[in-house]
């Protein structure tokens, strides 16, 4: 006997017990696997709620509407950008907020801010990052929401302290094999155009939360089984027809969102 449990809508779950036959292209797991994975089902609610709050902290905008006033710049961010370009920012700076600065390119002078731990670049028409970003070895948080990136800059792969990375609501089409730092714990790539993940995704041994909702993923790489710290993954509104063998047996996985994928839509609910 099998137990089938998938997220059917944003915060509700549908459950079907006694599944004997599953439509071709769908998946089933043994009862014992599900019992281990979702044994503490009451804990899933707080975990998902916290993930929602974490993602909301990146942007309060609803999905797909990242800027309700695109022509209005943030004066303080514009001023900071001018200071950065002129080399007037203190090298001891820990946080830098350039959100809505009207910035088409991040000045290379950012490389001098080697104590920086948080960099906010959201809602700018950015599509690349300068190589000087490689000097930001203490950077832990980078937000690039609502920009123009088509790929994750490879320079980020060498940032050894990077903990949280957001490219939500960009135009991402690909991620190179070397663009993601193994130090990542949270990865937010919601609302993009990704059709595949790199095989190096399995090197993210510290990854705990991964947001991939509303992309065009047709499959997950088998190497994702290397993400042994993964607790939560959002995969809704993609093109998934199956999951890698063993994916649901990842030791810490407690929440998976799959609504809006062919593998869910093929199922019959009762």
């Amino acid at each position: 006997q099998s137990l089938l449990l998938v997220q059917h809508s944003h915060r509700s779950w549908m459950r079907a017990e006694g599944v004997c036959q599953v439509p071709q292209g769908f998946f089933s797991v043994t009862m014992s696997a599900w019992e281990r994975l979702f044994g503490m089902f009451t804990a899933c609610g707080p975990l998902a709620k916290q993930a929602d709050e974490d993602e909301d902290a990146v942007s309060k905008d609803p999905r797909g509407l990242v800027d309700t006033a695109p022509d209005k710049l943030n004066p303080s961010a514009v001023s900071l950008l001018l200071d950065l370009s002129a080399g007037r920012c203190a090298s001891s700076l820990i946080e830098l907020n350039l959100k809505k600065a009207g910035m088409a390119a991040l000045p290379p002078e950012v490389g001098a801010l080697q104590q920086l731990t948080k960099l906010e670049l959201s809602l700018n028409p950015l599509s690349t990052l300068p190589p000087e970003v490689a000097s930001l070895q203490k950077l832990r948080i980078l937000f690039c929401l609502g920009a123009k990136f088509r790929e994750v800059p490879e320079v980020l792969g060498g940032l050894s302290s990077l903990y949280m990375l957001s490219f939500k609501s960009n135009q991402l089409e690909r991620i190179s094999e070397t663009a993601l730092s193994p130090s990542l714990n949270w990865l937010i790539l919601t609302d993009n155009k990704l059709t595949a993940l790199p095989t190096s995704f399995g090197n993210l041994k510290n990854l705990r939360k991964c947001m991939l909702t509303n992309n065009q993923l047709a499959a997950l790489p088998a190497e994702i089984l290397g993400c042994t710290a993964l607790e939560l993954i959002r995969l809704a509104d993609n093109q998934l027809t199956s999951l890698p063998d063993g994916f649901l047996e990842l030791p810490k996985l407690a929440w998976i969102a799959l609504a809006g994928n062919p593998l869910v839509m093929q199922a019959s609910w009762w």
Side-chain angles (χ1 to χ4, degrees), residues 64 66-67 70-71 102-106 121-129 143-153 166-174 191-193:
V66 298
D67 193 359
D71 297 325
M103 176 174 50
L106 180 63
L121 301 176
S122 297
L123 303 180
N124 284 291
L126 290 170
S127 59
T128 61
L129 293 177
F143 292 155
C144 298
L145 178 146
K148 303 292 184 182
F149 290 90
R150 292 188 177 276
E151 61 180 359
V152 176
S166 174
F167 279 91
K168 181 179 179 181
S169 299
N170 274 258
Q171 301 169 17
L172 295 181
E173 297 174 348
R174 65 181 296 271
D191 295 333
N192 280 288
K193 301 177 181 179

Side-chain angles (χ1 to χ4, degrees), residues 13-235:
W13 289 77
M14 295 197 69
R15 167 176 170 159
E17 294 180 280
V19 178
C20 297
Q21 293 182 340
V22 181
Q24 186 175 8
F26 201 61
F27 67 91
S28 64
V29 294
T30 64
M31 180 72 79
S32 60
W34 277 111
E35 285 176 343
R36 181 184 55 76
L37 188 59
F38 292 101
M40 295 298 293
F41 181 69
T42 55
C44 293
L47 180 60
K49 182 176 184 295
Q50 182 62 50
D52 288 336
E53 292 172 354
D54 294 339
E55 195 165 4
D56 285 346
V58 179
S59 172
K60 295 295 184 182
D61 301 305
R63 195 177 73 189
L65 182 61
V66 298
D67 193 359
T68 56
D71 297 325
K72 187 176 181 181
L73 300 181
N74 181 343
S76 62
V78 173
S79 177
L80 278 173
L81 178 61
L82 292 174
D83 287 344
L84 178 62
S85 299
R88 293 193 295 264
C89 287
S91 60
S92 59
L93 197 65
I94 294 176
E95 295 187 7
L96 180 62
N97 186 348
L98 295 174
K99 184 177 182 179
K100 296 192 72 172
M103 176 174 50
L106 180 63
E109 287 79 7
V110 73
L113 307 181
Q114 296 186 15
Q115 302 303 311
L116 207 62
T117 62
K118 181 178 179 180
L119 180 57
E120 169 63 270
L121 301 176
S122 297
L123 303 180
N124 284 291
L126 290 170
S127 59
T128 61
L129 293 177
E132 287 78 6
V133 167
S135 298
L136 306 181
Q137 288 300 314
K138 293 187 178 181
L139 190 67
R140 288 178 53 80
I141 300 173
L142 175 60
F143 292 155
C144 298
L145 178 146
K148 303 292 184 182
F149 290 90
R150 292 188 177 276
E151 61 180 359
V152 176
E154 291 195 18
V155 67
L156 300 180
L159 299 185
S160 59
S161 299
L162 195 60
Y163 180 87
M164 175 185 281
L165 178 63
S166 174
F167 279 91
K168 181 179 179 181
S169 299
N170 274 258
Q171 301 169 17
L172 295 181
E173 297 174 348
R174 65 181 296 271
I175 303 173
S176 78
E177 294 289 340
T178 58
L180 297 177
S181 171
S183 63
L184 281 171
N185 275 236
W186 291 358
L187 180 60
I188 304 171
L189 301 176
T190 306
D191 295 333
N192 280 288
K193 301 177 181 179
L194 295 170
T195 58
L197 299 177
T199 58
S200 60
F201 210 85
N203 296 332
L204 305 182
K205 307 296 184 183
N206 298 307
L207 188 65
R208 296 171 48 235
K209 298 178 183 180
C210 184
M211 316 299 187
L212 289 162
T213 300
N214 196 31
N215 277 278
Q216 300 172 20
L217 297 173
L220 300 178
E223 289 79 4
I224 200 171
L225 298 183
C227 299
T228 51
L230 189 64
E231 300 172 1
L232 179 150
I233 185 166
R234 293 190 180 278
L235 292 164

